Amino acid sequence: MEGAAVSEACSSIGSTASDACPASEWYALRDFLSAMGPHLYAIPGGYTVSLDYCLLHGQSSGRNLRSGRIIDIDHSLQMTHTATTQQAVVADALSATGALWFWSLTNVTANAGHGSPLSDQTNAAHRIDSDYRQPVSSVTCVPASVTNKTDSRHVVFPIFPYEEQSNANIQTVSSRDRTRQYKVIEHPTFMYSQLLDITGDVESYRLKWVELPPDKFNYSSIGLAILPPVSRSESASQTVVFCNIAASWGQSALEIETSGSGMGIAKSVVDDGKPTRARRHIGENQIPDAESWAANLGPSPIIILEDWARYLDPFIEELNATVFNVLMDSSNRTDPDRYLVSGVLSMLITNGLARTAWGSNLQGNVRVKGPNGHGPVDGDYWLANKGDVFQVDPVESRNWTSFVVESSLEGYAYNTLTVSPRIAIAIMMVYCLLVLGHTFYSGITGISSNCWDTIAEVTALAINSTPTAALRNTCAGISELHIFKLPVRILVSRDEEGEGEHLELVFGKIDDESAKARTVKPNTTYGTLPKGCIGEGKKGV
């Protein structure tokens, strides 16, 4: 991050700053710190992670800046503050896409102009699931002191408790009845004696940004030396806080929901880089744990130069103070320390990085139904998946940054997303195959039947059948499964009087010779009964 990309006007601002300035919306951070009160960054006994969020605004989107702290309880009680938020320009672009989606649904109906307008179903979700990254910043600090300008020691900066570096030393610090050990690395050129040369009001916080050599500080983006306020009479000795700042672009998924009441707050989940089975996410309810911190940041941090970092702490003319001083004072802490410092810094850095490329907009011409670029949005073209709603020149757009937005509309629909409908479809296909097979067989062979078309006819056939021992003990119900396994045939039976034949149900096995002799013959009338009975005959199959 270089200062050349930032306007010099961002070094001294009014009560509000240009949205393009890294320190823009500092007042939102101030109000957040003031509302959270003095316990915001107190060490939570027994907990390793805490999480709060601050609402920020883009040109058309709302974003949550998530801030939390990780405490290395098992080792040194060293605290690391981590913050993340969505990139403003990408969240704005996704918000504009959501609005465009709504207008595309206008006058588009679900059934070729005869159904209800889809604009009546405004609940939708719009998501960027690939090639999107958002800033994740971590800060850890260590206290020290300097007494005079002859102090020739090299300044040491802390490294993060999860880093494994062989060139790190251990520094022990005692305060508030606790002893903590920090892993620190010596800066090759920055000396303690140079700290007292930092200009500014000694009764205010003074900052000195220090670029950290990448060969020594593998995960670091930039360092910061902070001189807390002292009275002018005590300015000969000075407490100092050294902070190490690590920032990176974390792989993320961004989502915005639209509804009848308007646009929702941008939501995102940052992948922690772990293998799939052990994966955790940094999102609406989580920040990195001790193990996933290094995996998420990786060995390729954002390199922040001093000339860009200075725009994070501009002078506010109306308040006659810098942004950092205002934020520290707004916390209502009577004893501001390195824990509050690291929390404020993580939010400042993240907010500044999220404003990168501010002012970028969606490019291309929206496809419309009317001639010469006039008329309503061509929602049918977009929603029918015929192509992109934007018309762009392939040569002009060659170097543009592009994202794929997945939009889903909430409503009732048939789908095959779960197992149940897939099984049901398979059963229906098997049934259809059986029906088609029977139809083709009947059409080819010419063999069909016009008998026993109703339950009543089957019942009459059963009544006229000779009782069988195979169905014994079924008079009051069927309680055994084997009854349903019995084979059943319709065969010819001679009447007792010997005057004719009728058909009957035959249960159980029967020898082939008997079955062949009693086979139903085509075009033969069956159904005679003893004299004195009335009945209508049926022709055989």
Side-chain angles (χ1 to χ4, degrees):
M1 301 300 296
E2 299 179 351
V6 183
S7 171
E8 184 60 31
C10 294
S11 62
S12 182
I13 59 178
S15 56
T16 59
S18 168
D19 288 330
C21 293
S24 181
E25 283 201 278
W26 59 268
Y27 46 86
L29 304 181
R30 175 200 61 191
D31 295 343
F32 166 72
L33 291 169
S34 177
M36 293 305 294
H39 303 294
L40 175 61
Y41 293 110
I43 294 180
Y47 293 92
T48 57
V49 175
S50 173
L51 186 66
D52 304 292
Y53 67 90
C54 172
L55 181 62
L56 301 175
H57 295 88
Q59 297 184 78
S60 60
S61 63
R63 299 173 293 119
N64 280 333
L65 189 153
R66 298 277 168 171
S67 175
R69 53 196 178 275
I70 308 168
I71 305 173
D72 188 19
I73 289 180
D74 295 334
H75 298 87
S76 63
L77 291 179
Q78 181 177 350
M79 180 182 291
T80 300
H81 274 90
T82 299
T84 184
T85 191
Q86 301 80 19
Q87 279 187 269
V89 294
V90 182
D92 287 341
L94 190 58
S95 176
T97 303
L100 189 61
W101 171 273
F102 176 82
W103 289 112
S104 297
L105 294 178
T106 303
N107 299 324
V108 176
T109 59
N111 188 19
H114 302 291
S116 302
L118 292 181
S119 57
D120 294 342
Q121 304 179 36
T122 54
N123 295 336
H126 313 280
R127 183 179 178 89
I128 297 176
D129 207 12
S130 61
D131 299 325
Y132 164 69
R133 295 179 177 271
Q134 68 181 52
V136 181
S137 303
S138 295
V139 180
T140 187
C141 300
V142 61
S145 62
V146 58
T147 56
N148 54 62
K149 293 185 177 182
T150 62
D151 194 333
S152 59
R153 293 176 299 161
H154 286 260
V155 168
V156 293
F157 285 91
I159 64 173
F160 295 91
Y162 327 117
E163 290 188 64
E164 296 295 338
Q165 291 191 216
S166 57
N167 59 336
N169 298 316
I170 301 298
Q171 177 172 308
T172 302
V173 177
S174 298
S175 64
R176 296 185 182 178
D177 301 325
R178 287 189 179 95
T179 299
R180 299 176 178 83
Q181 292 183 331
Y182 297 85
K183 292 188 289 185
V184 297
I185 295 180
E186 188 177 87
H187 194 282
T189 60
F190 193 48
M191 314 287 288
Y192 273 87
S193 57
Q194 297 174 250
L195 293 172
L196 297 180
D197 293 331
I198 299 176
T199 59
D201 185 1
V202 297
E203 295 183 340
S204 301
Y205 287 93
R206 292 171 289 162
L207 309 184
K208 172 61 178 177
W209 298 98
V210 182
E211 297 178 9
L212 303 179
D215 58 332
K216 287 181 172 290
F217 298 87
N218 297 338
Y219 291 89
S220 302
S221 298
I222 195 171
L224 179 63
I226 304 174
L227 278 65
V230 294
S231 63
R232 299 186 185 279
S233 60
E234 299 175 350
S235 58
S237 61
Q238 176 71 62
T239 299
V240 62
V241 178
F242 297 114
C243 296
N244 188 349
I245 300 165
S248 72
W249 300 110
Q251 182 67 45
S252 180
L254 180 64
E255 181 177 299
I256 287 181
E257 295 180 356
T258 55
S259 64
S261 58
M263 197 75 60
I265 301 297
K267 300 178 181 179
S268 60
V269 175
V270 179
D271 192 336
D272 66 4
K274 283 186 174 183
T276 303
R277 182 169 295 183
R279 181 163 292 168
R280 291 184 69 237
H281 296 289
I282 315 162
E284 294 304 298
N285 299 308
Q286 293 177 321
I287 58 172
D289 58 15
E291 295 179 3
S292 63
W293 174 88
N296 180 67
L297 290 181
S300 301
I302 301 171
I303 301 301
I304 299 175
L305 301 183
E306 181 182 350
D307 61 351
W308 182 87
R310 68 186 181 91
Y311 291 110
L312 295 172
D313 186 35
F315 185 78
I316 306 173
E317 298 170 357
E318 288 88 341
L319 301 180
N320 195 32
T322 64
V323 166
F324 188 81
N325 276 278
V326 171
L327 296 182
M328 293 295 292
D329 292 342
S330 66
S331 67
N332 300 320
R333 289 284 295 268
T334 57
D335 56 343
D337 54 22
R338 60 191 177 280
Y339 301 125
L340 177 60
V341 165
S342 59
V344 170
L345 282 177
S346 66
M347 290 192 292
L348 270 178
I349 292 285
T350 301
N351 179 49
L353 292 174
R355 296 180 179 277
T356 303
W358 182 276
S360 300
N361 296 303
L362 292 175
Q363 301 296 309
N365 300 316
V366 177
R367 186 182 294 274
V368 296
K369 293 183 177 180
N372 302 321
H374 299 287
V377 177
D378 190 355
D380 290 310
Y381 184 86
W382 190 16
L383 298 178
N385 202 27
K386 297 178 181 178
D388 201 327
V389 71
F390 289 100
Q391 297 174 299
V392 298
D393 184 282
V395 177
E396 184 182 5
S397 63
R398 185 176 302 167
N399 296 321
W400 290 357
T401 300
S402 61
F403 296 100
V404 176
V405 178
E406 297 180 0
S407 297
S408 58
L409 179 66
E410 293 185 8
Y412 295 103
Y414 293 103
N415 66 76
T416 58
L417 299 179
T418 58
V419 176
S420 298
R422 295 175 184 175
I423 295 177
I425 290 174
I427 294 174
M428 290 298 296
M429 291 180 66
V430 171
Y431 176 77
C432 291
L433 289 174
L434 291 174
V435 172
L436 288 174
H438 177 75
T439 302
F440 285 127
Y441 176 78
S442 300
I444 294 172
T445 62
I447 298 177
S448 184
S449 173
N450 61 352
C451 301
W452 307 295
D453 296 328
T454 65
I455 296 297
E457 291 180 335
V458 176
T459 303
L461 176 65
I463 292 174
N464 286 329
S465 300
T466 304
T468 174
L471 297 180
R472 63 162 56 96
N473 299 326
T474 60
C475 296
I478 300 174
S479 59
E480 296 181 358
L481 182 62
H482 78 90
I483 296 297
F484 295 97
K485 297 180 180 180
L486 292 174
V488 183
R489 300 184 184 188
I490 298 178
L491 297 177
V492 175
S493 178
R494 182 169 295 277
D495 295 337
E496 292 180 1
E497 291 82 355
E499 297 180 359
E501 296 175 326
H502 66 275
L503 302 180
E504 67 178 7
L505 295 173
V506 178
F507 289 81
K509 295 181 180 181
I510 185 172
D511 60 271
D512 293 338
E513 292 185 3
S514 298
K516 186 176 181 179
R518 299 176 62 184
T519 301
V520 179
K521 298 177 182 179
N523 301 317
T524 302
T525 301
Y526 297 98
T528 61
L529 293 173
K531 292 180 179 181
C533 296
I534 299 176
E536 181 178 353
K538 282 279 187 178
K539 286 189 175 181
V541 178

